[in-house]
Amino acid sequence: MPYFTKLLLLIFCLVLLVESRKHRRRRWTSHLDVQRASHILKKNQDLTKAWKGKTEQLLKIDEHDFTMRPAFGGPAIPVGVDVQVESLDSISEVDMDFTMTLYLRHYWKDERLSFYSTNNKSMTFDGRLVKKIWVPDVFFVHSKRSFIHDTTTDNIMLRVFPDGHVLYSMRVTVTAMCNMDFSHFPLDSQTCSLELESYAYTDEDLMLYWKNGNESLKTDEKISLSQFLIQKFHTTSRLAFYSSTGWYNRLYINFTLRRHIFFFLLQTYFPATLMVMLSWVSFWIDRRAVPARVSLGITTVLTMSTIITGVNASMPRVSYIKAVDIYLWVSFVFVFLSVLEYAAVNYLTTVQERKEMKLRERFSCSCGIPHSKTMMLDGNYSESDANSLAGYTRNQMVPEEEKPEKVVVHLAMSNESNSSRKRGLKGHVGLRIIQNTHAIDKYSRLIFPGTYIVFNLIYWCVFS
């Protein structure tokens, strides 16, 4: 019995020892979990509420009325401006405007926003704080449309420094008017400007100025346009007066554009020149080929009309003459004159043939010649052909130096023998030679090209 009791006590002690160790282990594990959870909480602690309170306390937003400008009632507050042009999106001649995307930045000092800082670091905020403080009311003069980018949030940044200096930046796209002069189009240069001004504050309350002069305007080197070459950007400033409200500071972003001419050379000038040269082909066509010369003239006239209509369709309806109008209409006049030239040639030829017909009828009546025969001769006719012309006087023949390549010879011939024909016609009927090319065609071959070349020299010297 004593041995059995001792054994139970030993087992009981062992059980207590094991339970005690398990309990200690559970307590230790629980302590580690608490420490780990505490560490995680400290690491991921949300300080938004605490930081918000510190922010409001530092900036003292609730202690001031930000509907008033800084130093209200005192001298004008200076507001510096600088701009970085991101892109020049489009230039429209028809609407006379341009579209530009830029970063607009304002610099001023508002002592109401000053705060204490041991490291002199600034604080940066987004657009939500802008609605609670005073910012300059700058707008774009002569703008048609403008907006602040809002993807994925409003593209607005506000940076406040401990001494109260403020940087206010936004990304804006604006479409503004540009008064263009098309008198030299398409050999023109255009100067456009984007104007900034305070809407409510006159120069007595707010003084706008370029923060770093011409260095205040930066442009992206990748900016390019399809029809224009950007020559330069520069800044200016002046005062603008409104009769009802007073004087305002106005800032200008000026840029000069030079139009690329190669597109218009291919699409306008070369086709017009080729049409004029094509109209000259009719001067080398036989004057009796009426369908060929008339159809060629009408085709060139209609083509020139199409070119003029196409160019004017893409341009504003201005009340003055453009450089391209001068070139196209002078070319149209040259084409039209070539048609009139053939009309004159055809009319004079008809009049001449009528006179010769009357003269031939007289000779046939006086000499008793029953009918006439027409023979075609070129410049290389044979000896037999020459012998057939025997008996005609020298002055009735065409001189050697005036012989064309091809002539029409009308010979008055009777049914009598060759010898009697010579005796009967000698001294009475002459050889009538009519040239295929009229004298007007000969002169036109030189006058039209020469005049057009002179016009081109004067045109390109004046407008280029």
Side-chain angles (χ1 to χ4, degrees):
M1 187 67 184
Y3 177 77
F4 182 73
T5 305
K6 291 180 180 180
L7 182 60
L8 290 177
L9 289 174
L10 181 59
I11 293 173
F12 182 73
C13 291
L14 290 175
V15 172
L16 289 177
L17 181 61
V18 172
E19 290 296 331
S20 176
R21 287 182 179 179
K22 289 183 179 180
H23 182 68
R24 289 177 182 177
R25 187 177 297 173
R26 288 187 190 134
R27 290 181 61 187
W28 178 252
T29 304
S30 177
H31 180 69
L32 288 178
D33 292 339
V34 171
Q35 287 184 347
R36 189 177 301 168
S38 176
H39 177 71
I40 293 174
L41 288 174
K42 288 181 179 179
K43 185 176 180 179
N44 298 331
Q45 185 178 5
D46 187 3
L47 301 177
T48 302
K49 183 177 292 187
W51 179 248
K52 181 178 179 182
K54 292 182 179 179
T55 303
E56 292 182 352
Q57 183 178 0
L58 286 174
L59 296 183
K60 302 177 183 178
I61 294 177
D62 298 332
E63 297 180 6
H64 301 280
D65 184 5
F66 282 95
T67 59
M68 304 291 183
R69 69 172 180 86
F72 181 77
I77 175 176
V79 177
V81 176
D82 69 29
V83 171
Q84 181 174 346
V85 179
E86 180 183 5
S87 64
L88 193 57
D89 301 323
S90 64
I91 306 290
S92 175
E93 291 89 355
V94 177
D95 298 327
M96 286 194 180
D97 60 21
F98 65 93
T99 302
M100 179 186 293
T101 301
L102 51 89
Y103 295 96
L104 178 61
R105 304 184 184 97
H106 306 80
Y107 303 85
W108 74 93
K109 185 177 182 180
D110 191 345
E111 294 183 353
R112 296 173 296 183
L113 298 177
S114 60
F115 60 91
Y116 175 76
S117 176
T118 57
N119 51 15
N120 199 29
K121 288 185 178 180
S122 62
M123 292 189 298
T124 302
F125 306 94
D126 57 15
R128 286 169 286 190
L129 185 63
V130 173
K131 300 177 182 179
K132 299 180 180 181
I133 65 172
W134 180 90
V135 293
D137 59 337
V138 175
F139 78 105
F140 298 100
V141 185
H142 305 308
S143 67
K144 296 181 178 179
R145 296 173 299 276
S146 61
F147 62 91
I148 299 175
H149 290 258
D150 55 0
T151 307
T152 58
T153 60
D154 292 340
N155 297 170
I156 296 175
M157 186 268 289
L158 188 72
R159 182 170 295 168
V160 183
F161 294 86
D163 59 353
H165 281 88
V166 181
L167 165 60
Y168 175 44
S169 176
M170 66 184 75
R171 183 166 174 254
V172 184
T173 294
V174 56
T175 300
M177 292 177 54
C178 179
N179 294 323
M180 301 182 184
D181 182 13
F182 297 108
S183 58
H184 284 68
F185 176 87
L187 307 169
D188 58 334
S189 295
Q190 302 294 340
T191 299
C192 301
S193 61
L194 184 63
E195 305 172 14
L196 295 86
E197 181 181 306
S198 172
Y199 191 84
Y201 298 99
T202 64
D203 62 337
E204 297 179 355
D205 291 322
L206 190 145
M207 183 181 66
L208 279 179
Y209 68 97
W210 289 111
K211 189 173 185 298
N212 298 313
N214 283 331
E215 299 297 326
S216 301
L217 181 61
K218 303 293 183 180
T219 58
D220 193 340
E221 296 179 355
K222 298 181 181 180
I223 295 178
S224 62
L225 295 170
S226 59
Q227 293 190 22
F228 291 92
L229 172 66
I230 303 176
Q231 291 185 323
K232 65 176 180 178
F233 277 89
H234 65 281
T235 61
T236 55
S237 61
R238 64 174 69 117
L239 288 175
F241 177 73
Y242 297 90
S243 58
S244 301
T245 54
W247 293 89
Y248 294 81
N249 294 110
R250 182 176 294 181
L251 306 181
Y252 296 82
I253 302 173
N254 304 308
F255 56 95
T256 304
L257 305 172
R258 177 74 179 178
R259 195 183 303 274
H260 294 300
I261 186 59
F262 189 71
F263 171 81
F264 296 94
L265 288 176
L266 292 179
Q267 299 295 325
T268 304
Y269 287 97
F270 284 167
T273 303
L274 291 177
M275 287 300 104
V276 175
M277 296 174 65
L278 184 62
S279 68
W280 300 339
V281 176
S282 64
F283 303 151
W284 277 266
I285 300 178
D286 185 1
R287 58 178 173 169
R288 289 179 177 80
V290 178
R293 296 190 66 166
V294 170
S295 61
L296 180 61
I298 297 301
T299 301
T300 52
V301 168
L302 293 178
T303 305
M304 283 301 305
S305 301
T306 303
I307 295 175
I308 294 174
T309 304
V311 172
N312 291 329
S314 60
M315 294 296 299
R317 298 178 180 179
V318 295
S319 58
Y320 49 84
I321 299 177
K322 304 182 291 292
V324 68
D325 293 336
I326 296 175
Y327 192 90
L328 291 179
W329 280 105
V330 170
S331 299
F332 182 85
V333 169
F334 271 88
V335 172
F336 185 74
L337 288 178
S338 67
V339 178
L340 294 183
E341 186 270 348
Y342 177 65
V345 169
N346 189 276
Y347 174 76
L348 294 178
T349 301
T350 303
V351 172
Q352 183 179 357
E353 288 179 350
R354 288 177 180 176
K355 289 182 180 179
E356 292 173 351
M357 186 179 295
K358 290 181 181 179
L359 184 62
R360 187 168 60 249
E361 290 175 354
R362 284 182 186 179
F363 281 121
S364 64
C365 293
S366 61
C367 300
I369 299 176
H371 67 277
S372 62
K373 184 178 181 180
T374 302
M375 178 172 58
M376 295 294 299
L377 297 177
D378 58 11
N380 300 319
Y381 44 81
S382 63
E383 184 178 357
S384 60
D385 296 329
N387 291 333
S388 66
L389 301 178
Y392 297 97
T393 58
R394 178 77 175 174
N395 57 358
Q396 294 168 340
M397 303 292 292
V398 177
E400 291 292 334
E401 61 273 7
E402 296 183 2
K403 267 194 298 185
E405 292 183 359
K406 191 178 276 190
V407 298
V408 181
V409 181
H410 294 270
L411 296 177
M413 301 168 61
S414 65
N415 291 329
E416 298 178 357
S417 65
N418 192 23
S419 58
S420 61
R421 183 172 67 245
K422 293 180 181 179
R423 290 193 301 269
L425 298 180
K426 185 177 181 180
H428 297 284
V429 181
L431 174 66
R432 183 170 62 89
I433 300 175
I434 302 176
Q435 300 181 11
N436 283 348
T437 303
H438 198 277
I440 297 179
D441 284 338
K442 286 185 176 181
Y443 292 124
S444 297
R445 294 173 185 175
L446 299 176
I447 294 175
F448 274 74
T451 307
Y452 195 69
I453 290 173
V454 172
F455 161 71
N456 273 271
L457 292 176
I458 297 175
Y459 178 87
W460 293 107
C461 289
V462 171
F463 290 103
S464 62

